[in-house]
Amino acid sequence: MTVRDVRIFGDPVLTSRADEVVDFDESLATLVDDMFDTMEDAGGVGLAANQVGVLRRVFVFDCSHVDGGLRGHVVNPVWEPIGEETQTGKEGCLSIPDVSAETTRYETVKLSGRDKDGNPIGLVASGLLSRCIQHETDHLDGVLFLKRLDPAERKAAMGVIRASDWFNK
């Protein structure tokens, strides 16, 4: 297992849609293992494959520290909201260091997909895990959470990014 480099805002892979996974092979299993190592090393609760430069539809998550939450991975994720209730809270991203902003997401979602062996999986999630599912699936669609912000929040976040040392390297 390996800790991979996390791609940072401005890298075109972050705004590219990831491809459906069709081969459930050893390379996919290695990718998932590496993504867990990378997420843990970076201190995140979720990580999408394109954040490590791989355009495959897979993400990992670890919400086990909150309310007996879950840890896992999903290949070819698809989610849909359950109800219209939303949650608004601080959201950040490993690919956009030192930036967090109030972001609105659905409170509860139903997720389906496959595991790394190709077995079907599904779950209903609320709270942090619901937010994580929506955030990581956005990544796989080439959408950063900044696009989910209201204009004033987005402008403020972009100001922080432009002033950051990591952006100005």
Side-chain angles (χ1 to χ4, degrees):
M1 291 182 258
T2 304
V3 172
R4 299 187 185 198
D5 290 335
V6 174
R7 301 297 180 95
I8 300 299
F9 180 86
D11 188 318
V13 75
L14 295 173
T15 54
S16 300
R17 187 181 191 286
D19 298 322
E20 298 291 321
V21 173
V22 293
D23 295 320
F24 293 81
D25 56 14
E26 191 170 320
S27 72
L28 178 62
T30 299
L31 174 62
V32 169
D33 290 342
D34 289 355
M35 288 173 62
F36 273 120
D37 288 348
T38 303
M39 175 183 65
E40 290 164 6
D41 182 70
V45 296
L47 184 72
N50 49 348
Q51 289 182 274
V52 293
V54 178
L55 288 174
R56 295 173 82 183
R57 293 188 75 76
V58 57
F59 71 81
V60 298
F61 61 90
D62 187 353
C63 298
S64 61
H65 62 284
V66 178
D67 299 327
L70 299 173
R71 172 186 161 92
H73 69 279
V74 185
V75 179
N76 298 333
V78 176
W79 66 266
E80 61 184 70
I82 296 179
E84 297 297 318
E85 186 179 354
T86 60
Q87 57 172 301
T88 300
K90 284 282 187 193
E91 194 166 310
C93 180
L94 296 175
S95 293
I96 312 174
D98 306 320
V99 174
S100 63
E102 294 291 317
T103 309
T104 300
R105 302 281 189 178
Y106 286 103
E107 175 61 31
T108 305
V109 298
K110 179 181 177 183
L111 172 71
S112 61
R114 302 217 171 255
D115 68 14
K116 64 185 176 183
D117 299 316
N119 300 310
I121 58 173
L123 59 89
V124 172
S126 296
L128 179 62
L129 183 53
S130 174
R131 176 177 296 280
C132 183
I133 289 165
Q134 294 168 77
H135 179 106
E136 301 310 331
T137 304
D138 270 356
H139 270 300
L140 299 176
D141 291 336
V143 175
L144 297 171
F145 87 100
L146 299 172
K147 289 199 179 214
R148 303 287 181 210
L149 303 179
D150 70 47
E153 285 274 351
R154 185 170 32 256
K155 183 176 181 181
M158 290 304 298
V160 171
I161 290 168
R162 282 190 291 277
S164 70
D165 290 337
W166 59 262
F167 187 71
N168 293 304
K169 284 186 177 180

